[in-house]
Amino acid sequence: MDGRDVLLVMPTGAGKSLCYQLPALEDDEHLTVVVSPLVSLMQDQVDGLAGRAELINAQRSPSDNAESLRRALAGESRMLYVAPERFWAPGFGEQLKGKVGLFVVDEAHCVSQWGHDFRPEYFKLGEIARRLGVRSIFAATATATPRVAGDIIRRLGLRDPVRIATGFERPNLSYDVVPVRGERAREGALSALLNEPGALPAIVYSGTRKRTDETARRLSRELGEPVPAYHAGIEREDRAAAQRDFMSGAARVVVATNAFGMGVDKADVRTVVHEAVPSSLEAYYQEAGRAGRDELPSRCVLLASAQDKGLHVFFINQAEDAEAKSQGWANYRAIWGYVDGEGCRRAAILRHFGDRTPPQAEGRCCDVCDGPLAIAQAAKPRGSADRAATGGPGAGSARVPSGDVEAAVVAVVEAARPSVGRTRAVEILRGGRSKVVLQNDYDELPGYGEFSDWRADELLEEVDALIAAGRLASTGGRFPKLVVAEAA
């Protein structure tokens, strides 16, 4: 209200939007511009403001956008929501110059290369705000570590900002990590979790668009009710319908990538499940935070597989920019420190964000403090000894004693010429007969075909576990190959 710059760090559902909407509506002399990254978030906010805010985005017609801008500039609306790339449209900024009092950067962590959702189009927002002659800048986020908070201040050029951080504790949420090994274990754990009493409504976060579609179809069959999928590859109308059905309760479960969530204000989500480990602890905290906005007990469950660890390493190695790779490894250490850690999950989250208050769970805290969830037992795979005893995968190996997968993988990687990547190594161990295998005499390698009764995803998980453990390494690049690391 006094025209100071502000950095607000406040948990999901705690009321960040109110903190800038109220002063915006109280200012009768100036327009407030809100820069937001997601159309669904902007639409929800504008709908809730009942005619006192306008929206401009690429999904509306040019005439509708022009009318919204006219109303905002004429003082008929107090707030104008826009996407950051709108400022690249010729003449747009010129029309706003001198008319903006408060310039709000929502989801401000997007401005930081150290944030989990960095967006290059956010980089120039501080410069744009000053060019417009704004009275003050208001940066709001739910997921800023101390380092990211400092980066936001620097990138946006905030001048002696009021810094408000209300803490990261969500006492009504419980945090559980459930180790899974193989797709069947992952699918079984997810199904068991969603079938427990009081588990719905639920959001299931998947790591890829393909998995999102597959999981939605499977859960729809198993639950006997519609389970929509939501990701950026789905037509806009279908995405909108999926969100609308979930928000209204017509669909009790939605399966989505991280394209779903930011700004989605459904208060009664009882369960958020990640069926793959996300790339950073900030991303996990924000997505898990969709649960329990009504402050009733809710669960955040992470299904963790060694295969996820291998995929993280793979994608980090693809980064060509040194700073991006460095940040990738920092994110990797944080999220896997959380997953593999032996201390309280809640305390680990609080410490990561620089919150030193003691954990304050109102009910269940986490699997470390209160013991594993009931589904954790069902998610456990049979060990190698069990497989050998029952004639399952890994049993009956002649050249590789006792189904020793590690020895077989390392032997293939050492002997294969030309060198092979993750999936080719798995193909060799399963006895594949592709053209590449036959041309390069991979069928003569030690271990060839010894695990023909294993599923590809099970073997791939063993390979990724060896990469994560430092026994194997990936060369990176467009076509990465495996090499035996010194530790092996």
Side-chain angles (χ1 to χ4, degrees):
M1 297 289 283
D2 290 335
R4 293 277 304 277
D5 287 350
V6 176
L7 173 61
L8 175 70
V9 183
M10 185 181 280
T12 297
K16 289 186 296 296
S17 302
L18 177 63
C19 292
Y20 57 78
Q21 287 173 352
L22 181 59
L25 297 178
E26 286 291 307
D27 187 349
D28 293 330
E29 298 180 12
H30 303 94
L31 176 67
T32 291
V33 169
V34 182
V35 181
S36 182
L38 290 181
V39 171
S40 59
L41 181 151
M42 291 191 281
Q43 190 64 62
D44 286 349
Q45 300 261 332
V46 170
D47 289 347
L49 287 163
R52 288 173 287 183
E54 296 293 334
L55 167 65
I56 294 179
N57 66 49
Q59 296 186 8
R60 305 173 77 225
S61 69
S63 60
D64 286 344
N65 282 337
E67 175 60 17
S68 290
L69 182 58
R70 185 201 66 77
R71 285 176 50 81
L73 293 175
E76 296 173 23
S77 298
R78 300 267 31 98
M79 302 180 69
L80 179 65
Y81 281 77
V82 298
E85 55 270 17
R86 178 60 51 172
F87 290 99
W88 272 251
F92 180 74
E94 289 299 316
Q95 297 179 76
L96 295 174
K97 190 173 285 187
K99 297 181 173 66
V100 180
L102 185 62
F103 189 89
V104 179
V105 181
D106 205 3
E107 307 297 342
H109 57 271
C110 296
V111 80
S112 172
Q113 282 186 302
W114 298 106
H116 71 279
D117 195 21
F118 167 63
R119 302 184 183 216
E121 61 269 25
Y122 262 60
F123 244 26
K124 298 274 189 180
L125 289 180
E127 180 184 325
I128 289 168
R130 301 305 175 199
R131 199 182 305 150
L132 295 179
V134 305
R135 187 180 180 210
S136 61
I137 299 177
F138 191 116
T141 179
T143 54
T145 62
R147 182 177 193 176
V148 170
D151 206 23
I152 292 171
I153 292 173
R154 184 171 62 87
R155 296 285 187 188
L156 293 179
L158 301 186
R159 300 165 299 191
D160 186 26
V162 178
R163 297 185 63 165
I164 303 167
T166 62
F168 292 83
E169 178 64 283
R170 297 283 304 280
N172 61 309
L173 302 186
S174 60
Y175 299 95
D176 288 278
V177 175
V178 178
V180 293
R181 190 168 182 177
E183 288 305 307
R184 282 176 290 194
R186 194 193 304 257
E187 292 171 3
L190 177 59
S191 298
L193 186 65
L194 296 181
N195 276 293
E196 289 187 346
L200 307 182
I203 301 173
V204 178
Y205 280 107
S206 286
T208 65
R209 296 178 184 181
K210 181 182 178 185
R211 185 188 290 276
T212 298
D213 291 332
E214 292 171 349
T215 300
R217 286 194 294 268
R218 180 175 59 81
L219 290 178
S220 184
R221 291 194 304 269
E222 292 180 359
L223 297 174
E225 59 185 78
V227 176
Y230 187 107
H231 58 71
I234 294 174
E235 291 294 328
R236 189 178 70 208
E237 293 78 9
D238 294 334
R239 279 205 312 274
Q243 181 169 336
R244 186 169 57 249
D245 288 348
F246 182 65
M247 297 295 285
S248 68
R252 297 192 297 165
V253 179
V254 64
V255 184
T257 61
N258 59 6
F260 182 85
M262 241 193 286
V264 173
D265 190 9
K266 183 173 174 63
D268 63 342
V269 175
R270 296 278 72 88
T271 305
V272 172
V273 189
H274 283 73
E275 62 170 352
V277 177
S279 60
S280 72
L281 192 51
E282 290 97 321
Y284 179 67
Y285 175 78
Q286 183 175 61
E287 291 158 11
R290 300 296 136 208
R293 295 180 72 151
D294 56 5
E295 300 188 9
L296 295 178
S298 305
R299 298 187 295 182
C300 309
V301 182
L302 179 56
L303 306 180
S305 161
Q307 185 174 349
D308 301 332
K309 187 177 286 188
L311 288 174
H312 287 182
V313 171
F314 172 79
F315 284 117
I316 291 169
N317 284 332
Q318 301 311 297
E320 296 180 0
D321 178 77
E323 189 170 1
K325 184 169 286 191
S326 173
Q327 180 58 30
W329 283 117
N331 289 339
Y332 176 91
R333 288 190 293 273
I335 188 64
W336 286 103
Y338 173 80
V339 171
D340 296 333
E342 299 179 353
C344 172
R345 310 287 184 194
R346 183 182 303 276
I349 288 173
L350 295 177
R351 284 197 306 272
H352 180 74
F353 288 105
D355 188 337
R356 299 302 172 187
T357 58
Q360 300 169 15
E362 292 175 349
R364 179 178 174 85
C365 179
C366 67
D367 58 294
V368 175
C369 296
D370 300 308
L373 293 174
I375 65 162
Q377 191 61 38
K380 285 184 178 179
R382 290 180 300 163
S384 298
D386 296 328
R387 284 173 169 158
T390 59
S397 171
R399 285 178 286 172
V400 186
S402 304
D404 189 346
V405 192
E406 179 177 333
V409 173
V410 171
V412 165
V413 171
E414 280 185 320
R417 296 292 182 272
S419 299
V420 296
R422 297 160 60 249
T423 54
R424 188 73 68 196
V426 167
E427 181 189 7
I428 293 167
L429 290 167
R430 296 183 71 232
R433 304 291 294 172
S434 70
K435 185 177 179 180
V436 173
V437 168
L438 299 178
Q439 278 182 341
N440 293 293
D441 296 325
Y442 290 151
D443 53 342
E444 300 296 326
L445 293 175
Y448 173 80
E450 295 297 342
F451 299 90
S452 59
D453 48 355
W454 281 52
R455 284 182 10 193
D457 66 276
E458 291 177 314
L459 274 174
L460 193 61
E461 194 156 336
E462 299 284 352
V463 173
D464 288 337
L466 291 174
I467 295 173
R471 297 181 179 276
L472 297 177
S474 173
T475 60
R478 188 177 177 188
F479 302 106
K481 305 299 182 184
L482 292 175
V483 294
V484 179
E486 290 183 16

